[in-house]
Amino acid sequence: TIIEWLSSSCRVRVMGILGSYDNASVAVALNRIEGLAECRLIKHGELRLLGIGLSSCPDAYLEEVDIVVSSLPGLEYTCCRACSDILDSAIKRLKPRLVVMGTCKKPCFNPEKSVFSPGSLRLGFLGLVELSESGEIKTQALNVESTTAKLV
């Protein structure tokens, strides 16, 4: 899968949650590389990431995190359209530095709420979250088609 290829060939840490279009193969691929963040706190160095997918995982909000990844936008915490109040209550409790969410067709960023959406993979978008040596979190949306065309 592309998930395993990115992890092994490109040596990047791939983490994700399940969204409404995902099937079991996505969960299996993420599990193989220890990247399934669904209702699970993942520590990567000093960075703490929590995934809130379709299951909403009500028992997972036990400690502060740096990044929350969600398959659905919140009502208040969104950069494209309002969708679910599950995310909002978790964000208010966890106070993450960044919220990465799905369901937006095009990439967007809400600087007031620190909410980023890479856009739809179906439309060729992929999100990149990078942690600098100083601890700053940077986000970027990549268009897969134009990026691969430049590489070839």
Side-chain angles (χ1 to χ4, degrees):
T1 67
I2 190 169
I3 293 168
E4 293 165 311
W5 177 79
L6 284 167
S7 178
S8 64
S9 298
C10 300
R11 295 184 181 156
V12 295
R13 179 81 192 261
V14 178
M15 294 179 267
I17 54 169
L18 302 180
S20 55
Y21 294 113
D22 293 324
N23 59 30
S25 67
V26 174
V28 168
L30 286 167
N31 256 335
R32 282 188 193 137
I33 62 164
E34 297 181 14
L36 184 61
E38 185 86 15
C39 299
R40 189 174 130 212
L41 184 69
I42 294 179
K43 294 181 181 179
H44 182 69
E46 297 293 316
L47 192 71
R48 297 171 318 256
L49 178 135
L50 175 69
I52 303 174
L54 296 176
S55 59
S56 79
C57 37
D59 298 330
Y61 318 131
L62 303 175
E63 58 183 283
E64 289 186 13
V65 298
D66 297 299
I67 299 174
V68 169
V69 180
S70 174
S71 58
L72 298 173
L75 296 176
E76 184 179 343
Y77 291 87
T78 183
C79 63
C80 61
R81 64 181 178 89
C83 190
S84 170
D85 64 347
I86 294 169
L87 181 64
D88 291 347
S89 59
I91 298 306
K92 288 175 183 171
R93 214 172 21 256
L94 296 168
K95 298 175 179 46
R97 294 166 45 198
L98 176 68
V99 178
V100 179
M101 49 148 214
T103 309
C104 299
K105 290 183 180 182
K106 294 185 179 180
C108 59
F109 183 72
N110 178 342
E112 292 175 16
K113 302 285 183 178
S114 294
V115 175
F116 166 69
S117 179
S120 172
L121 185 58
R122 296 177 102 194
L123 297 176
F125 296 107
L126 188 67
L128 177 65
V129 177
E130 184 179 8
L131 182 67
S132 71
E133 295 207 9
S134 65
E136 182 184 5
I137 298 173
K138 298 178 182 180
T139 61
Q140 184 176 0
L142 303 172
N143 183 290
V144 176
E145 292 176 19
S146 64
T147 302
T148 52
K150 289 176 187 175
L151 296 173
V152 174

